Each structure stands twice: as C-alpha cells, then as structure tokens.
Amino acid sequence: MGPPLRNFVVTGDLNPVKVAFSATIHAFPLPFNITSSPFDLPHHQLKEPEPNIQRVYLIQDEGVPMSSLSRELVFLILQFLDEEKFKETVHKLEQESGFFFNMKYFEDEVHNGNWDEVEKYLSGFTKVDDNRYSMKIFFEIRKQKYLEALDKHDRSKAVEILVKDLKVFATFNEELFKEITQLLTLENFRENEQLSKYGDTKSARAIMLVELKKLIEANPLFRDKLQFPNLKNSRLRTLINQSLNWQHQLCKNPRPNPDIKTLFVDHSCGQPNGARAPSPANNPLLGSLPKAGGFPPLGAHGPFQPTPAPVPTPLAGWMSNPTTVAHAAVSGGGAIGLGAPSIPAALKHPRTPPTNPSVDYPSGDSEHVAKRTRPMGISDEVNLPVNVLSATFPGHGQHSQAFNAPDDIPKAVVRTLNQGSSPMSMDFHPIQQSLLLVGTNVGEIALWEVGSRERLVSRSFKVWDLSACSMPFQAALVKDPGVSVNRVIWSPDGSLFGVAYSRYIVQIYSYHGSDDIRQHLEIDAHVGGVNDLAFSHPNKQLCVITCGDDKTIRVWDAATGIKQYTFEGHEAPVYSVCPHYKENIQFIFSTALDGKIKAWLYDNLGSRVDYEAPGRWCTTMAYSADGTRLFSCGTSKDGESSIVEWNESEGAVKRTYQGFRKRSLGVVQFDTTKNRFLAAGDDFSIKFWDMDNVQLLTTVDADGGLPASPRIRFNKDGTLLAVSANENGIKILANGDGIRLLRTLENSLYDASRASEALTKPTINPISAAAAAATSAALAERASSVVAIAGMNGDTRNMGDVKPRISEESNDKSKVWKLTEINEQSQCRSLKLPENVRVTKISRLIYTNSGNAILALASNAIHLLWKWQRNDRNSSGKATATLQPQLWQPSSGILMTNDIADSNPEDAVPCFALSKNDSYVMSASGGKISLFNMMTFKTMTTFMPPPPAATFLAFHPQDNNIIAIGMDDSSIQIYNVRVDEVKSKLKGHTKRITGLAFSHVLNVLVSSGADAQICVWNTDGWEKQKSRFLQLPPGRTPPAQSDTRVQFHQDQIHFLVVHETQLAIYETTKLEVLKQWCPRDSSAPISHATFSCDSQLIYASFLDATIYVFSASNLRLRCRINPSAYLPTSVSSNVQPLVIAAHPQEPNQFAVGLSDGGVHVFEPLESEGKWGVPPPIENGSASTVAATSVGPSSDQAQR
C-alpha cells in the first residue's frame, strides 16, 4: 500500500462531508470554507478576477449602449439556434461568446466523461489560473480523468494525464503531486487508504459534479452567466417579421401578398405594371435566376410567408449562408451555363455548421494537393470526376451487386510495379479496368497494363509549344525547370486523359488503345501551380475544369481549349474542384487552402456557398457509387485526420468514422468502392470501413513497405486497388474477382502472343494487345486484331516517347542496373557553408526542426548557427544547397560556448540536443551541461558538473523538462530540468554512453554504448527490458572503444544502429537484427549515418571522405558520392566527414560536418530529383524490409 493520503473535510455552509482524496484544490479559504484538499496554493501565484472597471460605451440616439444590444443579439441567436436544433452550434456560440454557461450541457458532458469537451467548453469562461475557484474546477476534472485511467489500468494514458494535465498544479504543492504520482505504483489505487471508498465511475462523476456546480456558482467569473434571459418564443423571427412589415408599409405600390425572397436587402414590391424590381447586385443567390427562393419561412409571425420553390437537394443545407459580396465570375468564351435553372429547393431547411462542407469532392492523391478525382458516369452527365467507382456509363450496365464480406476487399498483393519516380496521382481506365494511369513527382506520366506488369507508355515532362505559353511561365521554367504532376484523370469514356502540373499548364491527351496516346490540348491554365483537374459535361458539352495557386477556377472547352468561365472569390490557392450533377442542376464545388468551400453554377453570378472545411486545410469529398451518400476525408495542419458521412439535406455530419492515427504523418487520401466500403491510406497501411459502421473494419499493410500516407485508387468495379509504395513503387491489391480478372488478361496475353508469333518473326511486344483486353468479348476481339496488325507491320510505331516496357518480373537483361557514381561537382548540388576561423573540427551537427537553419558543435566547444533567409529566390526560407546562408550571431556578438571545466575540450565527448520549437539547445563538451537561448545565445543555466561528464543528450518526446543524459561512467540519468532532480539512474552498460533514442509509440528508450551493447528501457518505470551486443562481421576484431549510435525509423518501431563496422536495422520489441550491411575489411570505417526525414534513405559517411546513400528498406547501396565531388584535391586526403545530418522536411537533402571545420550541404541535381536508382530486388519486392540477413551484403563488392 502506498503512503497514506490525508483526509479532507468539506465544512461551512455545505453539509459536512468526508471526502477521500477529493483532490479539489485547497487554494484559499473560500466564502463557505471549502477545505476538501491538501493542495495549498500560495496567494501571490493566483490571478484574481480583475476589478470591475467602468466601461465607456458607444451610445446610439436613444442612449442605449451598443455593447448591451450586441450581447442581447447573441442571446436571440442562441434561442434561434436552439429552436432550430443546431445543438453543436448553440454550445459553440455559448463557449465563444462567454455570455451564457449552460449548466445542463456541462452536466451531461461530465456524466458522459467527455473531458476534452468539458475543458474546451469551460475555456470560454475561465482559464486554470484565473482565480482559486477556477483552479479548483480544473483540478477536480483532471483528477477524475486520471483516476478513471488508473481504474481501467491504462497506465500510459494515466501518465499522459499526469504529465500534460496535472503537472501544472505541482508548482503550488509539490508534495500532493508526488502523492498523486505514487498511485501509479499501485495495482489498484483503492489500496490507498484515502481512496478505499472510491466507487464506480458513474457515482464518482456524480459526486464530483455536485462539487463542481458549487464552485461554478461561487466563481465571480460566472456571475450573471448561469441564467438565460426570459424571452418569448421565436423572438428573433418576430423582430424580423416586424421589420419586414415596416418595410412593406414604405413600399410605393404595396402588393397584398408580397413574395419575400431575401433578407439581404430591404424589401420592395415590384412595379404596378408587373415588371420585376431589379435584383440586388450583391445577392449571389438571385441575379437573373427566377424563383431563387433560397430561404425558409421565418415563422408564423407576420404576413410574409415565402413560397419555397421546388428545389433539388444537391446544395441542400449548403446555401443557407451565402456570401454577401458578389465575386465576379469573368466569362471568357461562349456560354455553357444553365440558362435560368431554379436554385435547389433544399434551401428550405438550411442546416450547415460552418465546418461541415457537404459538397461532392474528389478524393485525394497528392501530399501537396490531396484531392484527386475519378469519373462517375450518369446518362445525362458524361463526367462527374469524383472518386466513385461502380457507376454506369453509357452503354454499360449498373454494377450494383453487394459485397458479401470483407473478403470482397482487395487485400492480396498481386503486382508490384517499379515506377522509377514517386507516384503523385493514379487513375484506372473507366472501361479497361486493368489499365492504370500514373503521374509522378518529376513530371513523368506512365500508362501501365497491370495484368501484364508492363509499362506501355512513359513520357517525361515537356512543354509542347513554349512560344504559346505566357512569359511568366517561360521565365519560371528558366529559373526552375522542376515540375511535378498534381493530378491525372481519365475522361468518363476513357477517350481522353488530363494531366495537371505544378507549374502553370494542363496537358490533355487522347487515347487510341494500346500504347497510342496523342497530344490533344495544352492549356496555360493558371499563374503558379495547377492544383486540380476534372472533366464535366454541362449542356452536353465536354469541358475541362481546373483550379490553381492564383485562387481561381476555370472552365475550358475540352475540344478547342477555349476558356469559357473564370470563377473568382477564393482568398487562398484553390485546392480542389468537384463538378457534380443532380436533379438537372450542374455545379462545381471548390476548396481552398485556407479551408474555404465555395460552390458555383455555370454562370457569372459568383459563389453560392462560403463555408469552412473540417480541419480547415486539406479536405476532399466523394459520393458512393450510386450517388446517394456523401463522404469527406480531411487532414488538418496538425495532422488530425477524419472521415465523415454527411446528411446532405441538412449539411450536418451524420457519422464520424474512427480509427485514424492520432497524428497523421501526411495528408490522408481516401476512396470509396461500390456502395459499401471506404478506404484511406494512413499509418503506413490501408484502412477500410464499412459505410454503415463507424468502427474500423480492417487494416491491410500490403506486405509492408508503404509510406506514412499512401495514395490509393480503386478501379471502377472495386476489384483492384492501386497503392503507392516506398522506393517509387506501386502495389496492386486484388480481391477474388480482381485475381480472376488478371488471370484472364494473362491468358489473353499468352494466346495473343502465340497468334502473333505464328504470323511473323519480328520482335514485338504482345502487351500492346493485352492493354486493350478487358472482360468483354468485344474488347478481347479488338485486342487480338491489334496484335495481328502490329505483327504484320513489324511493329513500326514511333517509339520516341515510349520507354522500353520492362516487366518487373521479366528481368530484361538489356537494362542493367548500375550504381550511381558522383565524382564531379557538376553531378550534384553541394554548398560549403561560411566558415568560422576559430573552429577546427565539427563534432556534432543537426538541422533545426523548422528546417531553415543548421546548428553545429565544434570540438573546441563553440556552437555555429547558419540561417537561410526568406527572399525572392528562396520563398520558403528553408535550407538549400543553392543559396548561401548567414553564419548567424546576435548583435551582442557573444558565442554559445560550452563549459569545459579543466579538461581539454578536444579530448572530451561533445553532445547536444535541440528543443522541439528550436528555442533552446542543451549542450556539453566535457564540463557542465549548458542550456542556451537560441535567439540571444545567452546561457540560461548550467548544471550537472563532472564527474561524470555527459556524453549524449536526448529530450523526452512528451516532456521537454525530462532529459535522458548518457554519461562517461556508463550510466544514464533521467533528469528533470525544472526541479533540478535526477529521477532515475539506469545501469546496464560497461563503457560510456554514445547513443540514446526515444520511441513515443513503444514508450521505450534505446541506448547504445562504446561497449557495442544496445539496451532497451521501459520509460514508465525505467526498467531494462532487453539488451544485446552488436553482431560483428566474421573475422573482425572488436575495437577497444568505438561509438555506437541509434536512431528510430519514422515508424518508431525499427531503429538504425551505426557502428564503424556496420549499419544495421533492428526491430525494437524483440531486439532482432533485420538487416545488416558491413564494409569490406580493407575499406575505411563508417564515421556516421542517419535516416532521411522520411526514413526511406540512409546517408552514411566514411573516413575516406566518401558518402554513401542506401535504400533504408533493404540496406542496398544506390548512390556513392566520392570526395572529388565536394573537396579540393589538395585537401581531400586529409579531410574526413565526421558527422552527417538529414533535413527534417526534404528527404533528399543532407549536410556533413568535416574534420577541418567545414560544413557542406548536399542535394541531387534538380533534373535528377533523387540520389540514384535503387537496385532491382529479387522476387519483385522492392519496398519491403528484407528478411533477416546478417553478414556482408552483395553491395560490398561495390566498395
């Protein structure tokens, strides 16, 4: 049993109640003397409510304070929202205005244990340190949350609450905080005497709620906020109708039954001859549209009962709050609009919270523009580019059969394609469902026949007619020729496909079967990037819709390329477009990077909608195959991802699907299939949901090797799923029907190949036929004829733009992989940073977390900081090898110099660690540990004088106040900076500590030492879980003392071990070696190595000044940078790279620190975009972590 806690008694005006560890805060004596906790708070540390200062009000003519009327208006709006059942919005306004504290809502949330919402709601009225009552309230809530976590034996959650929520109170009573912490050591916290009477969760919440209500009622900050004014029903409606009656009385020719269409402008009856009054220019819902009728009756409080026009539902709930300022839509060509359709009648019940964008969006594909669409066919609307699969096309039946079980989910990996550059967008052909179109990060497009694993077409980015392009685009290309594909999409019938690039233009190709693609249109569409592309068919005319960085949406004739409309109104780059068709209304939804959603008809009347998307960043939407259900997927800037289903008619969230990673590592992409399943790429896997169940259905990792947020795309029937993989790969997953489809294609290929061989001997590739093969007999017959023609004509097609079609499994010997060697400065981008003459050797090196600076620690204990400036040539301000940074120093001229005690700093083991927000650095060079302010370079404090001396530092991932310090006496000290106390001392090594790495996923600390030993420690109790010595290569004599470094992979489960004799990948829980690479005996030792920021590459430096780039998944060498590429020949034999660091956001950028005090930054040439090409992998698996393979790899011969 833990140490006894004190009894607490609530006395005074309350009934005496004995409370066992009530754990409210005894801050001060309260008016009725609550003393229910031992938590004594010093008076001077609490902020009391500010005195009541007389306010100066603006006075209207009648002398009524305007602020008072504004407050009353908020109450009227709250009443209106409550009457209209806008429950979430009501409470949001209560919280944001701080005018009314809804005790009933607060009680419900407490009873339900919705603690985050409880604190969020409270935050609108008070903060933790506002006064003693507020502190008691928050402590009570957080204490209850903590005890519930302990009751569920969720220790990790309890620790998180202790550190994040309860620790703030430790400042006022450290002893109580220690007592609370000690509850973690008990199997059941009821073993503590004072908590022995703690009941179940429900009763504990009820008891706490009684206390909370009394505290709230006594808190002066809640004064006058607990009672809602006594109002007549529908008071706001009544006032509006009174105003309308008054306006009607002022009409020159009042009509007996006026038709009220809008509240945006004053009412005025039409002319007596029947002519309509001109529509207000600033009302985007009216314009020339008859019977717009977009607003509901306001209630039976007056004669003005607008007659709702018959309206469809596509914009239901989305036009209830249109923008009040017209956004001019500039027409650039012949009208393709709707003429004068009626606005959808769903406006009769407007229910759209600002964060509920119930719009038909495409789903996402690109990390920059994560919203790629796919066609959905409907008889009258040839193209609705939404990620919807099983839809009818003209001449094709409706695919409506239901999935039976999760077996219908494509889970089996049946193909692995090596694209050669990173896929950014993918789309299956709408008819030939094994034909996959791909666009990549280097501007390449490719056409794959999945059935045969053959790349039919590959074309690099090229401007077709540069003279026809705008001068800004030409200038931009000269400045930076690098281009990425943001979007690829097929037209609904598959006869065209479009490519949207990250620079200005869109290219439209026509497709004629097999590998025959032809240039159709090149459109200089936007200033800056073209972020999305879609096809649509308003008024039976096929159009191309684009959006871009210039904040516009544009509509182009798909046949001629003539611009027909420009829609303006967004205030940020437009992120996605989604044309849709419903109930004879054709419209376009758009989203921008500021989270705004707008909707447009094909006219010049501006946006019909102005809302904010969930997450206010990257949101995409898609309908189910039958167009009846609407879903959205979004990721916020903080990495919060979600998929929701919408109630279209009300514009409200119907259900929210569970199962996303707490912080997604990229923008999550999603897709829908049939009318049953949702899929999203998240947490290095594909996650599936049944549309009718919010719980995660299943997760598929595709045999591993997926990026954090893989791009995904189903084919139309949902039988195949394309998934982007690491190492520039694409994996094809299939269900049973998909496997049968591919087998059918393979058989067709075999038969077609035999037929062509019988006709002629010339070398041909029969896949040109298989690409056209599909499930229908007609398509198969067409494929045979193509093969026959190709064979008879000797396959004399123009192959200028078509790369050799190499099956990944055919291992064509004519294309032999070769290691990329960089021997000259012209073969890569390298930059030597400005030097400091006082520095002779770089011992430690790191990029700042923001990516705009590099920090180095020299062997003489001096720190150097290089900062890149934001300017026209470097708009992001990030580190780059193309621009020189500034060797930064504050105006005071001081340097950050470590304490060196009495030792020679050159003999010490230097170490440092950077805080998450780059505000301070902790560092040591054999003496005391110093804490420096990164802005001023001032020493904030020093601590822990030697002996022992610190040799490695690592911040705890959840608490910057906790530091793991490796010592030269082989111990590891867990140190709390704030209280200046060593919490734990870990012993397990026999020589100095040389590496420390935390995993916030596994809650472990991995340590490495000069004894070549690796240990794994549990961060909850700091017990050692496992340990293992390095496996040295056969015949190698272990060095007497050599540094061993450790670094976690992005997945926080595997880690890299770096030793002078090897690189190795370990799995943490079993501490098993998965892969090992060892240099030859005659080769120079490894000096340092690190993962790239995405953990796809490993950069390693050697003492012979060479730098190697490995594929992290299999430790295969892909690129070697020789000293001649960055060092003058006069010094290359005397200078070695000692440390290497990877950029935190740019996977292909790294920096090395040299033994002569120099620092070099490296990037591949822009034309290459990457460090070499990964070697071919046996068995078609290019992206998975290789099976355990200890010992020298085949790469050794390359050294």
Side-chain angles (χ1 to χ4, degrees):
M1 180 180 295
L5 298 178
R6 286 166 282 177
N7 290 331
F8 316 82
V9 179
V10 179
T11 60
D13 295 343
L14 306 177
N15 293 328
V17 180
K18 185 172 182 178
V19 182
F21 189 31
S22 165
T24 55
I25 309 169
H26 178 46
F28 302 104
L30 295 181
F32 39 84
N33 191 29
I34 294 182
T35 59
S36 55
S37 164
F39 213 133
D40 295 316
L41 301 177
H43 288 250
H44 68 277
Q45 295 193 30
L46 285 180
K47 183 172 66 177
E48 287 296 305
E50 296 178 359
N52 186 15
I53 300 173
Q54 182 65 38
R55 298 193 181 191
V56 180
Y57 295 104
L58 293 174
I59 304 298
Q60 292 178 309
D61 293 340
E62 295 85 327
V64 181
M66 291 184 67
S67 61
S68 174
L69 291 182
S70 297
R71 180 186 175 92
E72 291 185 1
L73 178 58
V74 171
F75 281 110
L76 293 178
I77 294 171
L78 286 171
Q79 182 195 44
F80 173 80
L81 294 172
D82 185 65
E83 290 173 342
E84 291 298 302
K85 310 300 182 188
F86 289 91
K87 295 299 184 184
E88 292 183 7
T89 310
V90 168
H91 303 312
K92 182 69 174 175
L93 182 55
E94 290 167 352
Q95 179 232 322
E96 288 191 338
S97 67
F99 290 164
F100 174 64
F101 185 86
N102 191 325
M103 187 68 80
K104 176 66 171 62
Y105 172 68
F106 180 76
E107 290 176 14
D108 290 343
E109 294 303 299
V110 170
H111 278 305
N112 294 329
N114 297 330
W115 304 120
D116 290 344
E117 179 58 28
V118 167
E119 287 210 19
K120 183 178 179 182
Y121 189 69
L122 274 172
S123 69
F125 303 86
T126 184
K127 300 295 185 292
V128 174
D129 61 347
D130 276 346
N131 59 40
R132 54 185 180 267
Y133 301 90
S134 299
M135 188 166 281
K136 280 175 166 289
I137 292 168
F138 281 94
F139 186 89
E140 187 78 14
I141 292 167
R142 295 175 182 183
K143 175 268 302 182
Q144 180 63 27
K145 182 166 63 168
Y146 176 69
L147 293 180
E148 289 182 15
L150 290 176
D151 209 21
K152 296 175 182 176
H153 302 287
D154 189 350
R155 290 189 175 276
S156 62
K157 182 67 175 177
V159 170
E160 181 182 350
I161 296 168
L162 190 69
V163 172
K164 292 184 176 179
D165 297 334
L166 289 170
K167 194 170 183 179
V168 66
F169 304 105
T171 306
F172 306 99
N173 192 323
E174 181 69 16
E175 286 303 311
L176 179 61
F177 184 74
K178 288 181 178 178
E179 290 178 328
I180 298 170
T181 304
Q182 287 169 356
L183 296 178
L184 286 166
T185 65
L186 303 179
E187 183 64 26
N188 185 340
F189 64 81
R190 294 175 181 83
E191 294 172 21
N192 187 290
E193 179 183 349
Q194 299 303 319
L195 294 172
S196 59
K197 295 183 180 180
Y198 183 96
D200 59 13
T201 298
K202 184 177 180 181
S203 61
R205 289 176 181 173
I207 292 171
M208 178 191 66
L209 193 55
V210 173
E211 181 76 3
L212 289 180
K213 290 174 67 176
K214 296 182 186 301
L215 288 168
I216 290 170
E217 290 166 357
N219 194 328
L221 293 178
F222 289 81
R223 193 169 297 147
D224 302 325
K225 296 181 180 180
L226 300 177
Q227 193 70 33
F228 197 87
N230 185 18
L231 303 174
K232 292 183 178 180
N233 291 339
S234 304
R235 176 61 182 163
L236 186 59
R237 294 174 183 272
T238 301
L239 289 175
I240 292 174
N241 278 294
Q242 289 172 350
S243 172
L244 292 174
N245 275 301
W246 173 75
Q247 293 171 30
H248 186 57
Q249 292 173 11
L250 299 179
C251 289
K252 294 181 179 179
N253 302 287
R255 293 182 178 180
N257 293 300
D259 184 9
I260 304 297
K261 294 190 175 70
T262 180
L263 299 177
F264 291 171
V265 295
D266 289 346
H267 161 71
S268 176
C269 290
Q271 302 302 316
N273 60 4
R276 296 186 58 184
S279 298
N282 65 340
N283 184 352
L285 280 180
L286 297 179
S288 60
L289 300 178
K291 299 291 287 181
F295 289 87
L298 290 170
H301 300 280
F304 305 107
Q305 306 294 322
T307 304
V311 206
T313 59
L315 302 182
W318 302 97
M319 292 187 176
S320 56
N321 184 26
T323 55
T324 56
V325 179
H327 304 299
V330 183
S331 176
I336 60 169
L338 298 172
S342 61
I343 295 295
L347 302 176
K348 63 186 179 183
H349 189 49
R351 283 212 48 196
T352 313
T355 57
N356 293 356
S358 176
V359 287
D360 179 10
Y361 279 83
S363 83
D365 235 50
S366 163
E367 290 186 3
H368 170 61
V369 185
K371 71 296 169 201
R372 307 312 178 204
T373 60
R374 70 177 37 236
M376 176 178 109
I378 293 188
S379 56
D380 293 330
E381 169 64 21
V382 177
N383 180 50
L384 300 175
V386 196
N387 259 333
V388 197
L389 303 170
S390 180
T392 57
F393 288 84
H396 296 269
Q398 176 78 19
H399 301 274
S400 58
Q401 65 270 27
F403 281 76
N404 299 317
D407 287 342
D408 287 317
I409 292 174
K411 293 182 290 186
V413 179
V414 293
R415 299 287 187 272
T416 300
L417 312 176
N418 186 2
Q419 175 58 44
S421 51
S422 180
M424 301 299 287
S425 180
M426 301 177 289
D427 199 19
F428 280 101
H429 194 277
I431 300 171
Q432 297 169 221
Q433 293 193 48
S434 62
L435 198 62
L436 180 66
L437 178 65
V438 180
T440 79
N441 65 332
V442 296
E444 180 186 24
I445 60 169
L447 196 57
W448 289 86
E449 171 44 57
V450 171
S452 63
R453 307 176 180 85
E454 248 192 293
R455 179 159 37 195
L456 302 176
V457 174
S458 179
R459 292 198 179 178
S460 300
F461 173 73
K462 180 182 178 182
V463 179
W464 299 344
D465 186 0
L466 189 59
S467 62
C469 296
S470 63
M471 290 307 296
F473 178 39
Q474 295 184 43
L477 275 183
V478 171
K479 184 177 179 181
D480 181 8
V483 173
S484 172
V485 172
N486 279 342
R487 182 76 170 91
V488 293
I489 187 172
W490 290 99
S491 64
D493 61 359
S495 63
L496 299 174
F497 67 84
V499 187
Y501 292 97
S502 61
R503 309 289 287 279
Y504 287 71
I505 68 168
V506 165
Q507 292 179 339
I508 309 296
Y509 289 84
S510 59
Y511 179 59
H512 302 273
S514 183
D515 58 358
D516 187 3
I517 65 172
R518 304 172 190 174
Q519 298 176 0
H520 176 60
L521 284 176
E522 186 175 68
I523 303 172
D524 193 343
H526 294 273
V527 177
V530 183
N531 295 330
D532 202 8
L533 166 74
F535 288 93
S536 188
H537 210 268
N539 289 353
K540 311 299 181 184
Q541 179 182 8
L542 186 63
C543 294
V544 176
I545 302 168
T546 62
C547 66
D549 287 344
D550 57 5
K551 308 174 187 178
T552 65
I553 303 100
R554 291 176 176 163
V555 181
W556 316 82
D557 187 306
T560 64
I562 295 174
K563 182 170 64 178
Q564 306 210 331
Y565 288 92
T566 297
F567 298 124
E568 298 178 332
H570 278 293
E571 297 176 355
V574 184
Y575 180 78
S576 69
V577 290
C578 178
H580 197 52
Y581 165 91
K582 219 167 190 181
E583 299 184 18
N584 296 319
I585 300 295
Q586 310 217 30
F587 50 90
I588 305 167
F589 286 103
S590 60
T591 63
L593 288 177
D594 60 359
K596 295 293 184 182
I597 300 170
K598 295 183 183 292
W600 320 79
L601 297 180
Y602 293 86
D603 56 27
N604 296 322
L605 299 179
S607 168
R608 287 349 195 241
V609 161
D610 189 0
Y611 290 113
E612 290 185 342
R616 301 185 182 183
W617 197 41
C618 300
T619 299
T620 59
M621 304 190 86
Y623 276 87
S624 58
D626 57 9
T628 61
R629 302 176 69 172
L630 179 64
F631 305 88
S632 77
C633 178
T635 300
S636 72
K637 290 182 179 179
D638 295 328
E640 297 283 354
S641 295
S642 63
I643 291 182
V644 300
E645 181 179 6
W646 297 93
N647 183 327
E648 258 193 286
S649 62
E650 297 184 354
V653 173
K654 184 176 181 180
R655 54 169 61 91
T656 301
Y657 297 88
Q658 310 297 321
F660 279 103
R661 181 188 176 98
K662 190 173 182 180
R663 287 286 187 274
S664 298
L665 299 177
V667 176
V668 170
Q669 326 291 317
F670 92 131
D671 204 352
T672 68
T673 180
K674 298 284 189 176
N675 299 311
R676 175 76 181 278
F677 294 119
L678 300 165
D682 180 50
D683 201 13
F684 306 93
S685 62
I686 307 106
K687 296 179 177 179
F688 294 87
W689 291 265
D690 187 302
M691 291 180 178
D692 295 322
N693 191 331
V694 298
Q695 299 302 320
L696 187 64
L697 179 63
T698 189
T699 298
V700 175
D701 67 358
D703 298 337
L706 300 185
S709 299
R711 297 162 183 81
I712 63 173
R713 181 64 73 247
F714 285 104
N715 69 347
K716 182 168 69 76
D717 282 346
T719 57
L720 300 177
L721 176 65
V723 183
S724 65
N726 294 335
E727 301 295 341
N728 304 323
I730 301 169
K731 293 193 176 189
I732 305 298
L733 280 60
N735 61 12
D737 290 339
I739 293 171
R740 284 186 286 274
L741 169 65
L742 297 184
R743 285 175 181 167
T744 300
L745 291 169
E746 287 176 333
N747 293 336
S748 300
L749 167 64
Y750 177 72
D751 294 338
S753 177
R754 292 185 62 186
S756 65
E757 288 173 0
L759 288 168
T760 181
K761 284 293 183 183
T763 302
I764 65 166
N765 199 325
I767 305 306
S768 58
T775 52
S776 71
L779 287 171
E781 182 178 335
R782 174 187 171 191
S784 300
S785 66
V786 171
V787 170
I789 294 170
M792 288 185 291
N793 290 286
D795 200 9
T796 57
R797 297 161 298 175
N798 179 5
M799 300 295 287
D801 288 313
V802 183
K803 289 185 180 179
R805 294 165 296 178
I806 302 170
S807 168
E808 193 173 48
E809 294 183 8
S810 67
N811 195 19
D812 188 343
K813 301 300 182 184
S814 65
K815 194 171 178 90
V816 179
W817 175 84
K818 185 179 180 181
L819 173 69
T820 299
E821 293 267 9
I822 296 178
N823 299 304
E824 301 176 3
Q825 292 184 2
S826 61
Q827 293 178 292
C828 71
R829 290 181 289 168
S830 67
L831 175 69
K832 185 177 182 181
L833 304 189
E835 292 183 335
N836 183 304
V837 294
R838 299 173 58 182
V839 169
T840 58
K841 183 170 71 175
I842 301 297
S843 299
R844 295 291 180 263
L845 193 69
I846 191 173
Y847 281 85
T848 58
N849 295 295
S850 62
N852 61 7
I854 290 178
L855 178 67
L857 173 58
S859 59
N860 61 356
I862 293 176
H863 297 78
L864 303 175
L865 181 65
W866 292 272
K867 285 186 177 182
W868 275 260
Q869 303 301 314
R870 191 186 303 271
N871 53 40
D872 293 340
R873 296 181 60 194
N874 186 15
S875 59
S876 67
K878 301 294 185 185
T880 174
T882 57
L883 288 174
Q884 279 280 3
Q886 175 189 2
L887 181 55
W888 197 82
Q889 207 171 353
S891 56
S892 63
I894 63 173
L895 295 172
M896 288 189 290
T897 306
N898 279 334
D899 171 70
I900 57 176
D902 298 326
S903 62
N904 180 359
E906 297 287 343
D907 298 332
V909 179
C911 56
F912 66 10
L914 191 61
S915 66
K916 296 175 187 175
N917 60 4
D918 298 331
S919 60
Y920 57 89
V921 62
M922 195 162 289
S923 184
S925 296
K928 295 178 184 178
I929 300 174
S930 300
L931 183 66
F932 296 100
N933 184 309
M934 285 279 284
M935 294 299 295
T936 64
F937 283 15
K938 291 181 179 179
T939 305
M940 298 167 65
T941 186
T942 59
F943 55 95
M944 297 191 75
T951 56
F952 205 93
L953 299 168
F955 283 103
H956 191 287
Q958 272 91 34
D959 187 350
N960 262 348
N961 288 313
I962 304 296
I963 306 169
I965 307 174
M967 296 294 190
D968 63 3
D969 68 351
S970 77
S971 68
I972 303 167
Q973 300 196 17
I974 308 303
Y975 179 75
N976 188 316
V977 180
R978 190 171 59 80
V979 298
D980 189 20
E981 182 180 342
V982 175
K983 295 294 186 181
S984 296
K985 193 170 184 178
L986 315 182
K987 296 198 173 204
H989 291 274
T990 59
K991 296 181 180 179
R992 72 166 185 259
I993 304 302
T994 59
L996 295 169
F998 283 97
S999 169
H1000 61 78
V1001 171
L1002 299 177
N1003 292 325
V1004 298
L1005 169 69
V1006 173
S1007 63
S1008 58
D1011 55 2
Q1013 186 183 191
I1014 301 168
C1015 297
V1016 180
W1017 312 83
N1018 185 310
T1019 57
D1020 291 334
W1022 302 110
E1023 305 92 357
K1024 185 164 73 171
Q1025 294 182 330
K1026 288 182 179 294
S1027 65
R1028 173 169 294 190
F1029 285 91
L1030 289 185
Q1031 300 181 27
L1032 296 178
R1036 290 286 182 96
T1037 303
Q1041 189 155 295
S1042 178
D1043 287 0
T1044 306
R1045 302 292 175 84
V1046 288
Q1047 181 190 11
F1048 267 99
H1049 186 280
Q1050 192 180 56
D1051 65 11
Q1052 294 282 295
I1053 296 171
H1054 302 88
F1055 64 89
L1056 170 67
V1057 173
V1058 183
H1059 186 262
E1060 67 176 51
T1061 65
Q1062 63 185 276
L1063 301 175
I1065 303 293
Y1066 279 71
E1067 194 278 329
T1068 306
T1069 57
K1070 297 179 181 178
L1071 205 55
E1072 290 182 348
V1073 185
L1074 300 181
K1075 193 70 177 175
Q1076 186 184 57
W1077 182 93
C1078 303
R1080 287 178 176 176
D1081 291 343
S1082 59
S1083 300
I1086 301 168
S1087 61
H1088 200 216
T1090 184
F1091 277 122
S1092 62
C1093 63
D1094 59 0
S1095 297
Q1096 302 307 305
L1097 303 174
I1098 294 173
Y1099 301 113
S1101 57
F1102 293 78
L1103 290 182
D1104 62 359
T1106 58
I1107 301 169
Y1108 281 22
V1109 183
F1110 296 85
S1111 293
S1113 60
N1114 46 42
L1115 288 184
R1116 299 290 297 272
L1117 182 61
R1118 56 191 289 163
C1119 179
R1120 177 164 55 206
I1121 303 173
N1122 291 309
S1124 57
Y1126 68 100
L1127 292 176
T1129 54
S1130 59
V1131 301
S1132 61
S1133 60
N1134 301 316
V1135 175
Q1136 301 87 33
L1138 301 180
V1139 283
I1140 193 163
H1143 192 284
Q1145 288 107 33
E1146 297 294 337
N1148 288 300
Q1149 186 186 138
F1150 66 92
V1152 295
L1154 306 180
S1155 58
D1156 67 350
V1159 174
H1160 290 249
V1161 177
F1162 292 84
E1163 289 181 286
L1165 294 175
E1166 288 185 323
S1167 58
E1168 298 292 333
K1170 58 188 176 182
W1171 295 109
V1173 177
I1177 306 301
E1178 294 78 10
N1179 301 323
S1181 178
S1183 56
T1184 57
V1185 174
T1188 303
S1189 175
V1190 179
S1193 77
S1194 59
D1195 295 333
Q1196 290 180 356
Q1198 296 161 356
R1199 282 193 65 86

